[in-house]
């Protein structure tokens, strides 16, 4: 039986699910997997994208850890693809590679004023509150009124994290610098803007409902947004998820605070619909001072058209949460328009053609774009793995597929890589830090410290 030596680049859920599926298919062939990750710790988006107050989703880490702990996957963390290890290296030592590097950047938004001081991408803020080692430790939280653009789950994460009182986040795993930053926040009003209506949102009912349960935060909706057209009524009648979302929002119309009247909480989270961004207005010093938007109305088909009515609201910070975008990898084809690796069901294609690149595969958000919940990544990985197994005849012919080659190469290049034992060290360390303060975990944020703890140096 041929032995497949496989490299997977990206140790988030997509890469780990792909490894799991391959190992389960091992009856059919023999496989050895090395998982490369540019961060010192695995789990990608679950560790660095899921909000800290979502322990149920963070819990996916336990299932991913079970896969790694089986002991038949080697992990090489703190290894940057393209720098510490290249595509040529992989071809020399493996039969094939799967790229599962996700999508971690913010989609750009072509809007006047988007570069003003105080205008941020959601991905950067999420990285900050999740303790990503590669973003600054400080986050400016001087604004009293903040706008969040977008009606997806990331917009709700950002709005919730901004509106929530820092002490209500203490039971979670937020890093110490994040707690301190949020504790000093001056925010009183968070305004979420969707360009379409309540029946066209992308966020999910559970995440919406959660906003209504925040301590000392009023959730504010406005009657003018509930004058539904037939397409919206049809969507509510035919789609259970939309029906629940409508029911939740309708119930908030009856609450104190609705329409900006009454309500006693010290903070408010407003949901505005039918608001198409026009401009981020900056003051003389180039700082965000207002958000200008056009009121839209439904077009009868689930879309909207502008009404020509321009409105303005004073804000001091703006977060765009309008979607993530993938990043190119050195030597790997990339579709600049969609931010993905061009592929046919996970087989990488040469840029601008339908020719398959032998030995090179992709899965997860870098394959299909940043949509769908973490669980959707499993079926995605299955599709990719099916092709990989069927393509045995066109795998690479590595010069040196020995187990010792990669650790030797990384050591020779002075790469301080972390491994699975290293992750266990870091995990234990973070749990102990948390326990000392009566918290579940306190994340280590500095990359160097993560590496030191992992390597027990
Ligand atoms: P998303 O679900 O695609 O939502 C993007 C939002 O941005 C949409 O409301 C979209 O409006 C809006 N938008 C896009 N371009 C815009 C523009 N130019 N102007 C104004 N609005 C614009 O993306 P996401 O929120 O980044 O989430 C990515 C995936 O991760 C989703 O599948 C999400 O469910 C998942 N996720 C889940 C959780 C969770 O807690 N369960 C947390 C975070 C993320 P239109 O619909 O009108 O295009």
């Amino acid at each position: 039986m041929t032995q497949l030596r496989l490299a997977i680049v990206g140790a988030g859920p997509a890469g780990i699910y792909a490894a799991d599926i391959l190992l389960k298919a091992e009856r059919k062939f023999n496989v050895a997997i090395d998982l490369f990750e540019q961060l010192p710790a695995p789990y990608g988006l679950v560790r660095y994208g899921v909000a800290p107050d979502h322990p149920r989703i963070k819990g996916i880490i336990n299932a991913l850890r079970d896969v790694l702990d089986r002991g038949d996957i080697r992990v090489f963390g703190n290894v940057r693809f393209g720098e510490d290890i290249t595509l040529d290296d992989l071809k020399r030592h493996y039969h094939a590679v799967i790229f599962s590097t996700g999508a971690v950047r913010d989609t750009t938004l072509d809007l006047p004023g988007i570069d003003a001081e105080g205008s941020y991408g959601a991905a950067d803020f999420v990285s900050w509150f999740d303790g990503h080692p590669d973003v600054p430790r400080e986050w400016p939280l001087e604004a009293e009124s903040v706008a969040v653009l977008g009606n997806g789950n990331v917009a709700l994460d950002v709005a919730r994290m901004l509106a929530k009182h820092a002490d209500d986040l203490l039971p979670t795993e937020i890093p110490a610098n994040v707690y301190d930053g949020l504790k000093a926040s001056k925010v009183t009003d968070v305004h979420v803007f969707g360009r379409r209506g309540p029946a066209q949102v992308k966020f999910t009912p559970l995440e919406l409902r959660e906003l209504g349960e925040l301590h000392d935060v009023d959730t504010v909706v406005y009657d003018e947004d509930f004058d539904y057209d037939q397409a919206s009524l049809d969507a509510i009648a035919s789609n259970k998820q939309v029906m629940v979302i409508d029911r939740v929002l309708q119930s908030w119309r009856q609450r104190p605070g609705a329409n900006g009247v009454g309500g006693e909480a010290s903070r408010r989270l407003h949901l505005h619909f039918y608001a198409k961004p026009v401009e981020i207005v900056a003051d003389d010093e180039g700082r965000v001072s207002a958000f200008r938007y056009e009121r839209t109305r439904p077009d009868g088909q689930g879309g909207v058209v502008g009404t020509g009515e321009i409105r303005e609201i004073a804000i001091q910070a703006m977060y765009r949460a309008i979607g993530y975008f993938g990043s190119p990898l050195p030597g790997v084809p990339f579709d600049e328009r969609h931010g993905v690796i061009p592929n046919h069901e996970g087989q990488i294609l040469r840029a601008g053609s339908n020719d398959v690149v032998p030995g090179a595969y992709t899965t997860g958000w870098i394959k299909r774009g940043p949509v769908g919940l973490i669980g959707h990544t499993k079926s995605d990985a299955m599709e990719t793995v099916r092709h990989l197994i069927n393509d045995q005849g066109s795998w690479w012919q590595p010069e040196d597929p020995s187990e010792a080659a990669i650790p030797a190469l990384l050591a020779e290049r002075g790469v301080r890589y972390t491994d699975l034992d290293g992750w266990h060290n870091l995990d234990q360390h973070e749990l102990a830090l948390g326990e000392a303060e009566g918290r579940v975990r306190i994340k280590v944020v500095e990359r160097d410290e993560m590496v030191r703890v992992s390597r027990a140096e």
Side-chain angles (χ1 to χ4, degrees):
M1 203 181 344
T2 324
Q3 195 202 36
L4 166 65
R5 281 200 68 76
L6 177 75
I8 299 181
V9 180
I16 297 178
Y17 284 142
D20 186 34
I21 290 164
L22 261 161
L23 287 166
K24 283 180 178 152
E26 214 180 6
R27 278 178 293 111
K28 296 189 199 134
F29 72 125
N30 181 1
V31 60
I33 296 176
D34 286 350
L35 190 51
F36 293 92
E37 168 58 51
Q38 65 113 355
L39 290 166
Y43 310 128
L45 182 87
V46 192
R47 185 170 157 99
Y48 290 115
V50 172
D53 57 345
H54 276 176
R56 189 181 52 84
I57 310 179
K58 286 271 185 208
I60 293 174
I61 283 185
N62 297 332
L64 299 177
R65 190 175 47 203
D66 286 346
V67 176
L68 298 185
D69 281 349
R70 261 187 342 220
D72 37 16
I73 301 170
R74 291 196 302 181
V75 176
F76 294 95
N78 201 32
V79 178
R80 288 181 200 270
F81 178 78
E83 290 175 33
D84 302 324
I85 195 141
T86 66
L87 189 57
D88 284 341
D89 296 327
L90 297 185
K91 285 184 178 168
R92 210 167 296 127
H93 302 292
Y94 297 92
H95 293 95
V97 59
I98 299 179
F99 292 101
S100 48
T101 47
V104 294
R105 281 188 294 160
D106 286 291
T107 299
T108 52
L109 178 62
D110 190 11
L111 192 68
I114 193 73
D115 294 325
E117 192 184 327
S119 163
Y120 309 109
D124 292 335
F125 183 55
V126 170
S127 292
W128 174 75
F129 67 57
D130 257 338
H132 193 293
D134 298 340
V135 298
R137 295 295 88 88
E138 309 282 317
W139 190 273
L141 288 160
E142 301 293 319
E144 290 178 9
S145 270
V146 179
V148 179
L149 215 56
N151 265 177
N153 278 326
V154 173
L156 296 198
D157 278 350
V158 166
R160 193 181 67 252
M161 288 297 290
L162 285 167
K164 219 165 172 167
H165 292 275
D167 285 337
D168 295 329
L169 285 161
L170 257 189
T172 75
E173 59 175 45
I174 50 164
N177 66 305
V178 175
Y179 171 75
D180 292 343
L182 291 172
K183 183 85 182 155
S185 169
K186 301 207 173 84
V187 79
T188 58
D189 291 84
V190 178
H191 298 267
V192 179
F193 290 94
R195 60 183 171 181
R196 297 193 285 159
Q200 288 84 35
V201 295
K202 297 261 175 71
F203 51 67
T204 35
L206 204 64
E207 281 63 30
L208 177 67
R209 212 178 264 133
E210 197 182 345
L211 297 186
E213 291 159 7
L214 303 184
H215 156 242
D216 191 30
V217 178
D218 280 335
T219 317
V220 182
V221 292
Y222 295 85
D223 285 344
E224 64 170 2
D225 289 333
F226 295 88
D227 190 9
Y228 289 137
D229 68 335
Q230 193 55 46
S232 299
L233 292 172
D234 291 347
I236 292 166
S238 63
N239 182 318
K240 181 126 187 285
Q241 188 155 308
V242 182
M243 194 186 298
V244 177
I245 282 171
D246 175 58
R247 199 180 302 145
V248 172
L249 291 171
Q250 296 291 354
S251 74
W252 292 353
R253 291 176 73 185
Q254 315 306 324
R255 283 192 179 184
N259 297 301
V261 181
E264 293 186 346
S266 68
R267 291 180 175 179
R268 284 154 298 281
L269 200 164
H270 310 250
L271 295 174
H272 305 271
F273 300 94
Y274 301 112
K276 180 171 168 258
V278 171
E279 184 181 355
I280 299 171
V281 183
D283 64 14
D284 292 345
E285 274 141 30
R287 284 195 299 251
V288 171
S289 63
F291 174 53
R292 200 168 282 158
Y293 60 96
E294 181 181 4
R295 179 85 182 153
T296 61
R297 62 178 166 74
D299 67 359
Q301 279 149 30
V304 287
V305 288
T307 63
E309 180 193 342
I310 304 293
R311 296 183 181 180
E312 195 172 298
I313 179 171
I315 52 162
Q316 299 84 46
M318 154 67 78
Y319 293 75
R320 64 176 191 282
I322 58 160
Y324 285 108
F325 205 76
S327 303
L329 295 163
V332 181
F334 190 65
D335 174 347
E336 294 283 350
R337 207 164 140 239
H338 302 101
V340 297
I341 297 176
N343 69 92
H344 167 256
E345 296 180 351
Q347 295 170 301
I348 297 184
L349 301 177
R350 285 186 211 293
S353 87
N354 285 328
D355 297 344
V356 168
V357 178
Y361 300 83
T362 181
T363 191
W365 276 7
I366 194 67
K367 167 188 176 186
R368 68 172 200 278
V371 283
L373 304 179
I374 295 167
H376 296 156
T377 305
K378 267 188 202 167
S379 47
D380 203 14
M382 255 177 225
E383 183 184 68
T384 297
V385 166
R386 183 164 43 81
H387 278 292
L388 195 154
I389 294 174
N390 290 341
D391 292 349
Q392 297 198 28
S394 60
W395 290 346
W396 300 329
Q397 304 290 326
E399 271 165 44
D400 177 8
S402 70
E403 209 177 79
I406 288 295
L409 182 77
L410 293 174
E412 185 190 306
R413 290 182 181 164
V415 181
R416 291 167 69 223
Y417 65 89
T418 56
D419 59 13
L420 192 57
D421 286 342
W423 160 248
H424 290 143
N425 291 344
L426 182 63
D427 188 35
Q428 288 306 319
H429 179 75
E430 291 186 342
L431 291 172
L433 288 178
E435 199 181 343
E437 302 210 8
R439 302 181 47 197
V440 277
R441 167 191 300 272
I442 297 180
K443 265 183 176 170
V444 175
V445 182
E446 300 295 335
R447 182 181 275 264
D448 240 26
E449 192 184 343
M450 290 175 76
V451 174
R452 250 193 343 265
V453 172
S454 299
R455 291 170 61 97
E457 287 173 354

